Amino acid sequence: MTAVELKAALLTAEQAVGFEITGSRSRDGAAPESSFDAEETVSPEVCRHVKEATSGDGEEASAASSIMYPAGTSISPRSTSLMSYPEEAARARMTQLREAVGTCGRFRFSNKFGKSSVTSEVLKVPGLGEDALRYRTLSRLGSSGFAWTLVTVVRVGGVIATMQVMVPTGPMTPEKLATFKPEPGPEEAVTAALIKNVTEAGST
């Protein structure tokens, strides 16, 4: 699929009930490497796939993305990304991510903002697309507190669709932290609508 086709498959305002979409973008070809990514280290290195599931791997033919927030707020962004590959490459990328999630229950990363330790857990995911994976991570950011992410990844043919929820918490006790844990409920309907869009676009 081309960048134009992928962008057309992104969620519309009418589909994203309860959320506000702030805009979208698309591109043909892989994303250029950023200097920030080059300065970041992840240990073990295989866990980079878990941390950067919404980013391309340099092999994507095209991509499109958008961000939305719960209506009336400017916190807890939901990042949506669509990436198109030859189908075998998409299958391999899903396998790579699934294996990384399975082995990266704990990992660390460091960049110019400091060091962080991360824990991850695999969650149940509805039967979406041809292959689906969902997991949640908790990053400990030193004195800055914590950040939860909830990631749902779905493959439809050669397209990989990702919905990522980020919930920063600031410093807090473990008991209070648990109450901020993002759950997939609010995104289930819009994720299903996104996958329907991608499926219909790929069949035309």
Side-chain angles (χ1 to χ4, degrees):
M1 293 176 66
T2 66
V4 171
E5 291 169 330
L6 288 180
K7 191 171 183 178
L10 290 170
L11 291 165
T12 65
E14 291 73 22
Q15 291 175 317
V17 178
F19 297 93
E20 295 178 358
I21 300 173
T22 61
S24 61
R25 58 182 180 176
S26 62
R27 57 177 166 78
D28 283 310
E33 291 187 12
S34 71
S35 58
F36 175 77
D37 289 340
E39 296 172 358
E40 185 168 77
T41 60
V42 182
S43 179
E45 176 63 25
V46 68
C47 300
R48 187 179 298 275
H49 301 301
V50 179
K51 185 176 180 295
E52 301 176 357
T54 60
S55 303
D57 60 0
E59 300 298 326
E60 62 274 15
S62 59
S65 62
S66 65
I67 296 177
M68 63 184 186
Y69 294 85
T73 73
S74 59
I75 59 173
S76 302
R78 274 72 170 163
S79 301
T80 301
S81 68
L82 302 176
M83 292 173 284
S84 183
Y85 299 86
E87 185 165 340
E88 285 306 310
R91 290 176 182 270
R93 182 164 169 77
M94 286 293 293
T95 298
Q96 184 182 57
L97 178 59
R98 190 180 300 279
E99 291 176 349
V101 171
T103 59
C104 292
R106 293 181 181 273
F107 63 95
R108 297 178 180 274
F109 69 89
S110 61
N111 53 43
K112 64 181 180 181
F113 298 110
K115 298 180 179 180
S116 179
S117 60
V118 184
T119 57
S120 67
E121 58 179 322
V122 180
L123 304 178
K124 292 182 178 180
V125 62
L128 298 169
E130 297 169 44
D131 189 9
L133 173 67
R134 175 176 285 159
Y135 62 94
R136 185 166 49 206
T137 68
L138 175 64
S139 299
R140 294 162 178 80
L141 308 174
S143 60
S144 299
F146 303 86
W148 285 104
T149 60
L150 174 66
V151 183
T152 303
V153 188
V154 181
R155 181 183 65 81
V156 178
V159 176
I160 294 178
T162 306
M163 177 74 73
Q164 177 175 286
V165 182
M166 178 175 286
V167 183
T169 67
M172 59 178 56
T173 64
E175 292 78 16
K176 189 173 182 181
L177 178 67
T179 67
F180 282 79
K181 186 181 298 186
E183 299 293 342
E187 290 76 38
E188 292 289 33
V190 292
T191 301
L194 175 68
I195 301 309
K196 182 180 179 181
N197 289 355
V198 173
T199 302
E200 293 177 347
S203 63
T204 58

